[in-house]
Amino acid sequence: MDIQWYPGHMAKTKRLISENLKLIDIVIELVDARIPVSSRNPEVDGLVGGKKKIVVLNKTDLADPEINKLWEQHYKDAGQPYVFVDCIKGKGIKELIAKIKQVMKPVMDRDKKKGRMNRQIKCLILGIPNVGKSTLINTIGGKSTAKTGNIPGVTKSNQWIKVSSDILLLDTPGILWPKFDDEVIGLKLAWIGSIKETIYDREEAALKLIGYLREAYPEKLHDRYKIEFDENTTDLEIMDKIALKRKLLARGGEIDYARTSEMIMDEIKKTTFGKISFEWPMEQL
Ligand SMILES: Nc1nc2c(ncn2[C@@H]2O[C@H](COP(=O)(O)OP(=O)(O)O)[C@@H](O)[C@H]2O)c(=O)[nH]1
Ligand SMILES: [Mg+2]
């Protein structure tokens, strides 16, 4: 992540978002399906206020399908409209468009009764860096990313992308800052490759990742590195075993923790482990 979220930035971002919010009917809050809570800023709810909102869980291609099911139930229970998507392959986009129409139907019907016909639904995408906002805008806009002309009340710098005959999308998404005040959130963001590891000690991030994987995905950890471990093996011993398997040793033959950590962090980002999620609904953050 290139942006440092100083209070000044936050204030400016908040102001920009609330200005854009005035123009729109519905917010699309984009999160990473692997960490739906850690990849959002909880302040979004306050910012969005009374606007309608759909939570869009992106990168489902990378997330654990079993954990996705738990999140589905979680959003259903909360009465929060949600859609799972894969913005690169375009999966779930049709469902998202249908969901926007469904959520907005009561408003549209009411407006129609008042004689307000041909009303268009205006949407804004919000999310922290790297969740796929730009990719979603490109995918949802499709080839015919027809940018409409000026619309009264809309600043010139904002353009509307025509999603369907009655849905418009603001072409500039609102960028929220991640919530950094919890170390676990920062770690998860580092695991999915969303923030530069320079913020975290890479060796610590890798060691904690091993700690997570051995609990949540022991078979995947075993299969990937062909290592044996049980409940008596420490996380550090697992890291040693991985280093020995991969021959990541320094000159004197001792373990090269820097390279081992780098390799593990790289592999988790490249999804060589398969589909993995890093948080589930019941978890206490
Ligand atoms: N695997 C996967 N990668 C995605 C998906 N959507 C976006 N990405 C990737 O995530 C990275 C960040 O996407 P981008 O649209 O730039 O995020 P933004 O910062 O929110 O605008 C890019 O490398 C995208 O190719 C998805 O559904 N699946
Ligand atoms: Mg972007």
Side-chain angles (χ1 to χ4, degrees), residues 137-173:
I137 289 171
N138 288 334
T139 306
I140 207 172
K143 285 196 190 78
S144 62
T145 302
K147 291 191 173 178
T148 62
N150 285 338
I151 291 175
V154 174
T155 52
K156 286 237 175 72
S157 57
N158 283 326
Q159 294 281 342
W160 295 92
I161 294 166
K162 200 165 178 175
V163 174
S164 68
S165 59
D166 52 357
I167 300 178
L168 296 176
L169 173 67
L170 205 57
D171 73 344
T172 6

Side-chain angles (χ1 to χ4, degrees), residues 58-59 61-62 85-88 128-135:
N58 189 31
K59 310 199 187 184
D61 54 317
L62 308 178
V85 300
D86 168 349
C87 286
I88 290 186
I128 68 167
N130 255 310
V131 286
K133 296 180 296 299
S134 302
T135 314

